[in-house]
Amino acid sequence: MRFLPTELPGVFVIDVEPKPDDRGLFGRTYCREEFAAHGLCTEWPQCNVSFNTRAGTLRGMHWQAAPHEEAKLVRCTAGAAFDVVADLRVGSPTYRKWIAVEITAANRRAVYIPGGFAHGFQTLADGTELFYQMSAFYVPEAARGVRWDDPALGIAWPPCDARVIAPRDLAFPDLPT
């Protein structure tokens, strides 16, 4: 695996280093020792899957509030997604900055998201599925969100003729000023 740091401290893009042969390929997607060597979470008590029927489905921006922060390791197992991570750690030098990574079943990339960051994505293909490894159990009372198009974040989402967004996500507030 290759761990590629991003402009957001603690957020990594993780590339699989496939070993191809005449049958296909083999590649490691997780190794506790390699994650620990980079100071990343090594315990994943919960895993989730998000299947999205239509291209243009937008989910986010989500996180869990203290003391239930969670790290996430997100990868695309079918289709393609524009994956977004935003720093919501008040006082951080990168507060309100965001990055985006295209993760696809073909590129096998993963995004590591520490606690204190919001996460969301927009699907780029029909039938897109994302697989999440979570460092903490979901706590409904700690679930938080910020509006996907909050001007304070200014996320440049890919153009889309007809986004599919859940009413809950549409109702999220802007960040406080």
Side-chain angles (χ1 to χ4, degrees):
M1 289 176 294
R2 287 185 319 187
F3 292 77
L4 309 170
T6 69
E7 304 86 52
L8 301 179
V11 177
F12 286 84
V13 173
I14 302 169
D15 281 335
V16 173
E17 295 181 297
K19 309 287 189 243
D21 64 21
D22 59 342
R23 300 166 294 174
L25 64 83
F26 180 86
R28 183 178 306 142
T29 61
Y30 173 75
C31 172
R32 183 176 60 211
E33 291 173 352
E34 288 183 56
F35 271 64
H38 286 86
L40 307 182
C41 177
T42 61
E43 298 296 321
W44 306 103
Q46 183 173 310
C47 295
N48 304 317
V49 65
S50 172
F51 179 77
N52 305 274
T53 306
R54 292 183 30 211
T57 299
L58 194 146
R59 294 182 187 253
M61 300 287 293
H62 306 139
W63 73 96
Q64 279 200 171
H68 303 285
E69 299 95 342
E70 58 193 2
K72 299 177 183 178
L73 182 60
V74 181
R75 72 180 62 255
C76 184
T77 55
F82 182 82
D83 202 68
V84 177
V85 181
D87 188 349
L88 296 185
R89 300 169 302 154
V90 176
S92 164
T94 56
Y95 178 60
R96 293 187 178 184
K97 293 195 184 323
W98 60 274
I99 62 145
V101 180
E102 188 170 316
I103 57 175
T104 71
N107 72 20
R108 297 180 181 82
R109 287 193 133 170
V111 179
Y112 178 88
I113 307 157
F117 290 79
H119 173 253
F121 64 87
Q122 179 179 309
T123 60
L124 303 174
D126 291 346
T128 294
E129 181 178 271
L130 272 62
F131 178 75
Y132 292 68
Q133 289 172 254
M134 311 297 286
S135 70
F137 294 107
Y138 177 68
V139 177
E141 311 78 60
R144 300 289 186 274
V146 64
R147 212 176 70 210
W148 68 279
D149 60 350
D150 182 340
L153 294 175
I155 298 168
W157 295 97
C160 183
D161 292 334
R163 282 195 178 92
V164 179
I165 306 174
R168 173 181 169 246
D169 288 357
L170 287 171
F172 285 143
D174 287 343
L175 290 172
T177 54

